[in-house]
Amino acid sequence: MSRRIALSLAAGVVVLGGAGAFALAYAGDQPPAFAHSTARYTAPAGGRDGSLTFSTEVTAASGVKSLKVLAWPEKSGFAKKPLTAADMAEVESATCEPAGSDTARCVYRTVVSAADAASAPHGAWHVAVLATAKDGSTTLDTKVTGFTVG
C-alpha cells in the first residue's frame, strides 16, 4: 500500500471517528421524545363508570424520570392561551416502566363517572404531556394525541 493511500485512509478514520463521537454527544443532549401515543375514551354506560386511558413510549438518553398527563377539551381556554410547563406541574403522572435502555412505556388511566361525563364538553379533546428526563431536560407536547367525547 502506498504511503499516500495509507495517510488518506488514516485521515478518513479520524474524520469518521470524530463525526461518530459528535453524533453520540449530540444524541445525549436530545430532550425526551414521544412515540406510539394513543388515547382511548370509554363513556360511562349502564351504571358503570367509563375511563380514559393514555399510553406512549418516551425516549430520553439519560432515562425517563416522569411523565405528566392532562386531557383538555379543544373548546377551552387552552386553545387561546396554550399550556405551559408550569401549567403541567400539578397535574397527574403516568406510570412508567422501562422498555429498553433509554425508553419507558408510560400509561395513564383515570375513571370517568357519569357525573363527570355529563359535565364534560362534547367534541374533540387533546392530551398534553410533559416528560422529564433524569438529566432534567423536558419536552412539552400539548397535542400529543386526541380523542372525542360524544
Side-chain angles (χ1 to χ4, degrees), residues 8-86:
S8 295
L9 186 58
V13 168
V14 169
V15 168
L16 288 176
F22 174 76
L24 286 175
Y26 181 72
D29 291 341
Q30 295 297 307
F34 307 105
H36 312 294
S37 301
T38 61
R40 185 181 58 203
Y41 172 76
T42 304
R48 296 175 128 181
D49 287 334
S51 64
L52 170 63
T53 303
F54 167 76
S55 65
T56 192
E57 288 184 4
V58 184
T59 301
S62 66
V64 178
K65 180 179 177 184
S66 66
L67 182 74
K68 300 285 193 161
V69 180
L70 176 67
W72 58 278
E74 186 171 85
K75 295 178 182 174
S76 73
F78 295 132
K80 295 178 184 128
K81 182 180 179 249
L83 285 161
T84 65

Side-chain angles (χ1 to χ4, degrees), residues 27-147:
D29 291 341
Q30 295 297 307
F34 307 105
H36 312 294
S37 301
T38 61
R40 185 181 58 203
Y41 172 76
T42 304
R48 296 175 128 181
D49 287 334
S51 64
L52 170 63
T53 303
F54 167 76
S55 65
T56 192
E57 288 184 4
V58 184
T59 301
S62 66
V64 178
K65 180 179 177 184
S66 66
L67 182 74
K68 300 285 193 161
V69 180
L70 176 67
W72 58 278
E74 186 171 85
K75 295 178 182 174
S76 73
F78 295 132
K80 295 178 184 128
K81 182 180 179 249
L83 285 161
T84 65
D87 295 326
M88 298 292 290
E90 299 302 318
V91 302
E92 295 180 358
S93 295
T95 301
C96 298
E97 298 292 332
S101 62
D102 60 354
T103 301
R105 187 166 294 113
C106 301
V107 177
Y108 170 79
R109 186 174 193 281
T110 189
V111 172
V112 179
S113 70
D116 291 338
S119 66
H122 287 78
W125 282 62
H126 302 287
V127 177
V129 290
L130 175 66
T132 303
K134 289 182 179 176
D135 67 5
S137 62
T138 61
T139 299
L140 172 65
D141 188 336
T142 61
K143 295 181 181 178
V144 72
T145 193
F147 60 97

